[in-house]
Amino acid sequence: MTRNIVLAFTISWLGIIFSFAQNTPQIKGVITDVDTGEPIPFVNVYYEGKAVGSTSNMEGEYSVDNKAAIGWGKLTFSSVGYATQVVQINSSTRTLNIKMRPDLILSEVIVKPKREKYSRKNNPAVELMKKVVNAKKASDLSEKDFYNYDKYRKLTLSLDNVQTNDSLMSSMFKKYPFLLEQVEVSDVTGKKILPVSIEETASEILYRKDPKEQKTIIKGINSGGVNELFNTGDMLNTMLADVFQDINIYQDKFRFLQNPFDSPVSQSGIAFYKYYIMDTVYVDTDKCFHLTFVPNNPQDFGFTGHLYVLSDSTYRVKKCVLNLPKKSDINFINSLSIVQEFGELPTGDWVLQNDDMVCEIAYMKSLSAVQVRRITKYRNFGFDPLPAKLFARKGKEIKDVNAMMRDDSFWEEYRPEKLTKAESGMNHFVDNLRQIKGFKYIIFAGKALIENFVETGTKDKPSKIDIGPINTIVSRNYIDGLRLRASAQTTANLHPNLFLKGYYAYGFKDKKSKYNAEVEYSFKKKEYLPREYPIHSIAASYMYDNMSPSDKFLSTDKDNVFTSFKVVNVDQFNYERTAKLKYQWEQENGLKTTVVLSHSNYEATGRLFYRTMSAQSAFEQNFSTLSPQQWERSPYDTKDYTTTEITLGVRYAPGETFINTKQRRVPISLDAPIFTLQHTIGLKALGADYAYHLTEAGIYKRVWMGTWGHIDTHLRGGIQWSKVPYPLLIMPAANLSYILQDGSFNLINNMEFLNDRYASLDMAWNLQGKILNRIPLLRKLKWREHLGIKMLWGTLSDKNNPFLPENKNDAMLMMFPGHYLENGTYQYSSYLMDKNRPYIEVSAGIHNIFKILHVEYVRRLNYNHLPTANKWGIRFMIRTVF
């Protein structure tokens, strides 16, 4: 399950459980020029002094929530070159068309109203922004030798727009009065909300310039709410914190909603946004220029908003308001407002002091929305030299050992403002939720869907053993037929360092039992599972199961019911028996070292068989004496082979971060480059049949192309240095399911090409709707284009080529896989590649269908003459992205 499915499901789940929110009445209309009748785009429509409003589109159309019922009775319309209008509204106002009159003079700033195309040349707003950008270095704290400050962040998740007077809700509140007690009014939107989750973090930020380093010391964490119902490393709060990262408008680009945005205070922003000078106003006691800005294309990933710039020679930003355009291509976001306030310290330094974000999210319009509120306060700035010992501890983020156990006196000191009644009573609220009849079954189903595991514990006795993965209980394959599997794993509630997991499976076709058992010791205490970042552990495992050679390329469990449906008939398998000892050491800088010792036996089954070239010569001489049943299971075949391996792997991914789920940990930032290097030594020891050396390396990088989306590139290469039979050659990463798998080929069959030297390229370009969003009607669907190309270059050296005459009677090399036809002809299913002709497949697809479905058409461009080739196919994937 991908990282955003967690957040999307949580939003939908909350909406279903409390789907009592009614749509706020809307005011809609068209804004036109009073003289020409032409529509006016980018008019700001807002309630003065409130963070609620919108912007008219290219047709002059706008819509805004009607807030007259809560006392907001005046709606303001303002645009560069036009006189500002303030219009009285009431709760029954639904349609409000506005005619605006040109006004050449705006306070002290003179602006010519240009009805022609927006121009940056000789534009006073652009010239002002250039001065702001040139002056921002003076406010950049990273230019200081040292600094430190305290940071307080409160992240609250609430059900939005709760209608307490609704007849359905009245009965619900009457039945469950604690729900009504939890309802409060948002001080930003004026809507009634029902907080369901809160997390507070108090930390200190330390910085030094030389050598450049920044540390975050987390002093206190206080959390409560529905996130406590899930036991996977505070998954919900981690996801929310990643999606809604802190924004520094003085950076050229920043990451937000898991996408890069151009800052309005940057050189690139001047090209990305249109700026308008609105007025000169006072913010607190400071006289400021008031500017508004909008993206060139409202569907690109950018903000609309306001900048208030000091009207002196410093050109400092006093206040910044960021909003997401209504037509933005971002998924799930109904509205977003970020207000940042800056101030001067006694030292004369200019710093961000307050950051307030309100975001309304809905997975579907028919479900209730969820409000995410993030309040961040910065204080106690210091610029004195900091001791070197403060930077000696490993890791960018260091959690105090007592962070989770802070008492009320601590929070009275670090919390700048009191919690609301609903926020402070969050734990009591969750306790009451647990008492609702049937609620535990909803949670049970939710956990099974989100986490793919079922817990065996309760609130008072947390789960020590989890049952799952759920999606592997029932599956099928060529050997097992119908396959049933029972799996389980222990948690840190049983032991914080020692973990057990395993499964038992039974195939009704081969009538054999399969099993896997693993014990892992973590050198660091874990909160729930051993794979929590960073890993430092040693594990021993023993497994007996049937495996297709291509199963090792799956990014999910091979028994996943969804990937068990194959595009081709996979009938070549091994019965694999493996004993393994694995050591992993992951460091905070992104470096991971892995050492694996393994002893494996592979017994051919299905239509796979092992026959050396010398045995094939004897087979051919006695072919007439064999029955058709013996053609692929002859007395001359090698039943199995055994290997003993030592593998050393190094992986370096600076800046990579994860969230933990019970099945796997999921990277939450795909921007980090990833470098991998691995060498395997095959030892002729402990009964092993072969000695060999295999080296593989890889590089991954995501490159953002501005408004043209991003390109993900994988480069891989490897060499089998030794003479080995075909099972130990290098086979392509083949994906034989209908589900898209990153880093694998969609139209290469199982072991189709066998090489001892290879290089591969995998490039995928997500255009983020750059083209489709400019096509009328289609742009409303928010579909996103995808283009991809996969290439494989490979060759087989003479020493490993069984087709050469000199290797005809070789006792080590084996004939390539295939099967015999009824007439006794052998048809190969594995082939040699032309070293001058790389394999190529391309793909074109539509992503973001219904916000979750990705569909791609894949096409194979060459090697189509091979009898097993599939020329094209349709693949799909469920993945939620913003």
Side-chain angles (χ1 to χ4, degrees):
M1 184 167 294
T2 57
R3 58 194 182 280
N4 286 331
I5 290 181
V6 174
L7 182 58
F9 176 81
T10 302
I11 294 167
S12 302
W13 171 73
L14 292 172
I16 292 170
I17 297 176
F18 302 98
S19 58
F20 47 75
Q22 303 295 321
N23 290 328
T24 301
Q26 294 273 303
I27 300 175
K28 298 181 179 180
V30 179
I31 305 171
T32 56
D33 187 296
V34 68
D35 296 325
T36 66
E38 295 180 0
I40 307 175
F42 309 125
V43 176
N44 296 294
V45 184
Y46 56 93
Y47 294 92
E48 187 67 43
K50 311 294 182 183
V52 175
S54 67
T55 304
S56 63
N57 61 21
M58 295 300 295
E59 288 74 41
E61 300 168 339
Y62 76 94
S63 65
V64 68
D65 290 345
N66 189 324
K67 300 292 186 179
I70 59 172
W72 300 1
K74 294 182 179 180
L75 200 57
T76 302
F77 298 80
S78 65
S79 179
V80 61
Y82 290 88
T84 298
Q85 291 190 38
V86 180
V87 181
Q88 194 78 28
I89 63 171
N90 55 51
S91 58
S92 62
T93 304
R94 295 293 182 271
T95 302
L96 185 60
N97 296 321
I98 299 296
K99 296 182 182 295
M100 300 189 72
R101 188 175 301 280
D103 184 3
L104 298 184
I105 300 177
L106 297 174
S107 297
E108 300 175 8
V109 183
I110 299 178
V111 181
K112 287 187 177 183
K114 291 183 176 291
R115 304 302 298 153
E116 68 271 13
K117 183 179 179 181
Y118 179 88
S119 174
R120 290 177 174 81
K121 187 176 181 180
N122 299 323
N123 186 324
V126 173
E127 295 304 314
L128 176 58
M129 283 308 304
K130 288 180 179 179
K131 294 179 179 178
V132 175
V133 172
N134 291 334
K136 70 179 184 178
K137 191 172 183 179
S139 301
D140 186 359
L141 291 185
S142 65
E143 295 297 313
K144 299 281 187 181
D145 291 332
F146 297 91
Y147 67 73
N148 64 287
Y149 59 84
D150 290 334
K151 175 182 176 182
Y152 169 84
R153 186 191 70 191
K154 181 174 70 174
L155 191 63
T156 307
L157 183 69
S158 308
L159 295 173
D160 196 34
N161 197 24
V162 178
Q163 301 296 309
T164 56
N165 296 325
D166 180 81
S167 58
L168 175 62
M169 287 319 302
S170 295
S171 61
M172 181 178 288
F173 286 134
K174 186 176 181 179
K175 187 174 182 180
Y176 306 111
F178 75 91
L179 291 175
L180 184 59
E181 294 173 2
Q182 190 72 4
V183 175
E184 58 189 26
V185 177
S186 170
D187 60 347
V188 176
T189 66
K191 296 178 181 180
K192 291 182 179 179
I193 59 174
L194 196 156
V196 297
S197 174
I198 181 176
E199 182 188 59
E200 296 178 283
T201 305
S203 56
E204 183 181 11
I205 311 300
L206 309 174
Y207 171 84
R208 69 178 177 191
K209 186 177 181 180
D210 187 21
K212 190 172 184 178
E213 191 169 7
Q214 181 171 303
K215 299 276 188 182
T216 299
I217 312 298
I218 299 178
K219 297 181 175 181
I221 298 175
N222 178 38
S223 65
V226 296
N227 54 297
E228 301 299 320
L229 300 173
F230 301 90
N231 293 320
T232 48
D234 212 11
M235 179 172 56
L236 178 59
N237 285 334
T238 303
M239 176 60 71
L240 289 173
D242 173 70
V243 171
F244 301 105
Q245 289 192 2
D246 294 334
I247 288 176
N248 180 0
I249 62 168
Y250 282 118
Q251 289 181 336
D252 290 341
K253 291 182 182 290
F254 48 76
R255 187 172 179 270
F256 192 72
L257 298 174
Q258 298 178 333
N259 285 280
F261 283 78
D262 285 285
S263 170
V265 187
S266 67
Q267 198 63 46
S268 60
I270 291 177
F272 182 81
Y273 293 101
K274 298 177 182 179
Y275 297 89
Y276 303 93
I277 298 178
M278 304 301 296
D279 208 340
T280 53
V281 298
Y282 280 90
V283 179
D284 298 329
T285 59
D286 296 311
K287 187 177 182 181
C288 300
F289 296 116
H290 174 200
L291 297 94
T292 61
F293 55 90
V294 296
N296 292 321
N297 185 329
Q299 288 183 305
D300 287 339
F301 285 14
F303 294 101
T304 62
H306 305 261
L307 286 172
Y308 299 86
V309 180
L310 295 183
S311 60
D312 58 23
S313 60
T314 65
Y315 296 104
R316 292 169 166 172
V317 175
K318 174 66 176 179
K319 183 178 180 181
C320 176
V321 179
L322 303 173
N323 302 298
L324 206 61
K326 288 284 185 182
K327 285 193 173 183
S328 172
D329 194 38
I330 297 289
N331 286 328
F332 314 125
I333 306 299
N334 285 354
S335 66
L336 171 72
S337 174
I338 302 171
V339 179
Q340 294 189 337
E341 297 174 327
F342 298 78
E344 188 173 25
L345 299 176
T347 59
D349 295 287
W350 195 256
V351 296
L352 174 63
Q353 295 177 327
N354 301 308
D355 187 340
D356 192 352
M357 184 206 77
V358 178
C359 182
E360 294 177 332
I361 307 175
Y363 187 64
M364 296 174 59
K365 290 185 178 180
S366 59
L367 298 178
S368 299
V370 173
Q371 184 194 95
V372 179
R373 178 82 180 272
R374 187 196 65 203
I375 296 175
T376 311
K377 304 288 186 181
Y378 304 88
R379 59 181 182 174
N380 299 331
F381 286 82
F383 302 97
D384 294 330
L386 298 172
K389 65 180 181 180
L390 294 178
F391 298 92
R393 297 177 64 182
K394 293 183 178 180
K396 294 182 179 180
E397 187 174 275
I398 302 166
K399 185 186 295 185
D400 190 288
V401 293
N402 298 314
M404 304 290 292
M405 300 177 289
R406 298 300 189 182
D407 56 18
D408 292 342
S409 61
F410 173 89
W411 290 108
E412 287 177 4
E413 178 184 354
Y414 282 90
R415 186 184 289 145
E417 55 188 35
K418 291 184 177 181
L419 299 181
T420 67
K421 180 182 177 181
E423 291 170 342
S424 60
M426 194 65 69
N427 291 331
H428 180 63
F429 167 70
V430 173
D431 289 339
N432 286 327
L433 276 180
R434 296 179 190 271
Q435 304 305 315
I436 295 179
K437 185 178 180 180
F439 185 77
K440 64 180 180 180
Y441 299 110
I442 296 175
I443 293 298
F444 180 89
K447 286 182 177 182
L449 181 60
I450 292 178
E451 300 174 336
N452 206 20
F453 278 78
V454 174
E455 297 170 10
T456 60
T458 63
K459 178 189 176 184
D460 298 326
K461 296 181 179 180
S463 179
K464 296 180 180 180
I465 300 176
D466 290 345
I467 308 300
I470 301 301
N471 62 10
T472 63
I473 292 176
V474 180
S475 62
R476 65 178 301 109
N477 61 58
Y478 182 83
I479 301 300
D480 285 305
L482 175 64
R483 176 183 171 105
L484 299 182
R485 171 175 146 175
S487 313
Q489 63 184 16
T490 66
T491 75
N493 296 318
L494 180 65
H495 196 287
N497 299 92
L498 191 64
F499 299 87
L500 306 174
K501 70 176 181 180
Y503 65 79
Y504 171 82
Y506 184 80
F508 286 84
K509 182 179 177 181
D510 67 350
K511 295 180 172 53
K512 285 190 176 185
S513 296
K514 295 88 182 176
Y515 45 84
N516 181 42
E518 179 179 308
V519 56
E520 181 171 1
Y521 181 82
S522 173
F523 296 100
K524 296 182 178 181
K525 290 185 177 181
K526 297 298 182 179
E527 294 182 9
Y528 201 82
L529 292 171
R531 67 182 68 94
E532 294 165 7
Y533 182 85
I535 297 173
H536 189 198
S537 69
I538 187 167
S541 63
Y542 187 83
M543 182 267 291
Y544 175 72
D545 206 341
N546 59 58
M547 304 281 288
S548 165
S550 62
D551 284 343
K552 63 183 179 181
F553 301 117
L554 290 172
S555 59
T556 185
D557 195 298
K558 79 177 188 69
D559 291 331
N560 186 322
V561 64
F562 300 107
T563 58
S564 65
F565 296 96
K566 306 296 186 183
V567 296
V568 295
N569 182 32
V570 182
D571 54 13
Q572 297 171 327
F573 280 77
N574 284 303
Y575 283 117
E576 179 180 340
R577 190 181 299 273
T578 296
K580 183 183 296 183
L581 186 66
K582 184 177 184 179
Y583 171 78
Q584 298 179 87
W585 181 27
E586 204 166 40
Q587 301 178 59
E588 298 280 358
N589 61 5
L591 181 65
K592 180 181 179 181
T593 303
T594 304
V595 180
V596 180
L597 283 72
S598 64
H599 183 268
S600 301
N601 176 264
Y602 302 90
E603 179 186 349
T605 187
R607 301 202 69 178
L608 184 67
F609 61 93
Y610 301 132
R611 187 178 300 160
T612 65
M613 296 308 296
S614 58
Q616 176 63 12
S617 297
F619 173 88
E620 291 173 352
Q621 292 174 7
N622 297 280
F623 182 78
S624 60
T625 66
L626 300 175
S627 67
Q629 290 76 23
Q630 292 179 305
W631 292 348
E632 295 178 11
R633 284 290 180 272
S634 78
Y636 306 98
D637 294 349
T638 301
K639 179 184 177 182
D640 59 5
Y641 71 94
T642 301
T643 63
T644 299
E645 294 182 340
I646 299 176
T647 299
L648 173 63
V650 177
R651 185 180 187 272
Y652 182 55
E656 188 177 41
T657 54
F658 303 89
I659 62 169
N660 300 308
T661 72
K662 291 185 179 178
Q663 190 168 8
R664 66 181 63 88
R665 62 181 191 176
V666 182
I668 54 178
S669 171
L670 298 177
D671 296 339
I674 300 174
F675 305 91
T676 58
L677 178 63
Q678 178 176 293
H679 184 75
T680 298
I681 303 173
L683 301 174
K684 207 166 184 180
L686 301 177
D689 297 308
Y690 307 104
Y692 49 89
H693 289 265
L694 170 65
T695 304
E696 291 187 279
I699 300 174
Y700 161 83
K701 186 68 180 81
R702 169 171 287 184
V703 178
W704 288 92
M705 311 293 291
T707 61
W708 287 90
H710 59 79
I711 296 177
D712 291 336
T713 303
H714 294 262
L715 285 172
R716 298 182 183 88
I719 299 178
Q720 171 58 266
W721 304 91
S722 309
K723 180 180 179 179
V724 290
Y726 83 80
L728 297 175
L729 294 176
I730 304 171
M731 62 188 70
N735 172 26
L736 306 179
S737 74
Y738 290 93
I739 309 298
L740 289 165
Q741 298 271 343
D742 294 334
S744 61
F745 292 90
N746 295 299
L747 294 173
I748 288 182
N749 287 318
N750 190 25
M751 299 187 293
E752 183 170 359
F753 301 113
L754 295 173
N755 305 294
D756 56 15
R757 285 156 177 76
Y758 85 99
S760 67
L761 169 68
D762 185 344
M763 295 185 69
W765 185 9
N766 187 334
L767 280 75
Q768 299 283 50
K770 183 68 174 182
I771 299 173
L772 295 178
N773 284 343
R774 284 155 175 79
I775 301 175
L777 299 180
L778 280 182
R779 64 188 179 192
K780 294 183 178 181
L781 299 174
K782 293 189 176 182
W783 287 355
R784 298 173 185 174
E785 317 86 343
H786 172 92
L787 298 173
I789 182 171
K790 300 175 187 285
M791 302 176 64
L792 174 68
W793 173 88
T795 186
L796 189 64
S797 59
D798 291 349
K799 67 176 179 290
N800 285 320
N801 189 343
F803 296 99
L804 295 179
E806 58 265 31
N807 294 328
K808 182 178 180 181
N809 295 308
D810 194 284
M812 176 184 289
L813 300 185
M814 295 179 181
M815 62 182 297
F816 274 15
H819 63 273
Y820 283 91
L821 303 179
E822 293 182 359
N823 61 6
T825 303
Y826 188 72
Q827 179 174 297
Y828 287 98
S829 59
S830 296
Y831 311 95
L832 297 178
M833 295 191 69
D834 182 346
K835 64 180 181 180
N836 297 316
R837 187 162 157 251
Y839 167 88
I840 303 174
E841 67 179 52
V842 295
S843 63
I846 302 295
H847 289 190
N848 208 45
I849 301 172
F850 307 120
K851 300 181 182 179
I852 62 170
L853 180 62
H854 296 192
V855 178
E856 294 183 18
Y857 170 81
V858 290
R859 180 79 183 186
R860 177 167 168 158
L861 299 186
N862 54 4
Y863 290 97
N864 288 318
H865 65 283
L866 300 177
T868 56
N870 293 313
K871 295 182 179 180
W872 66 276
I874 301 294
R875 304 291 184 268
F876 65 92
M877 174 174 51
I878 301 297
R879 177 177 290 178
T880 58
V881 292
F882 281 92

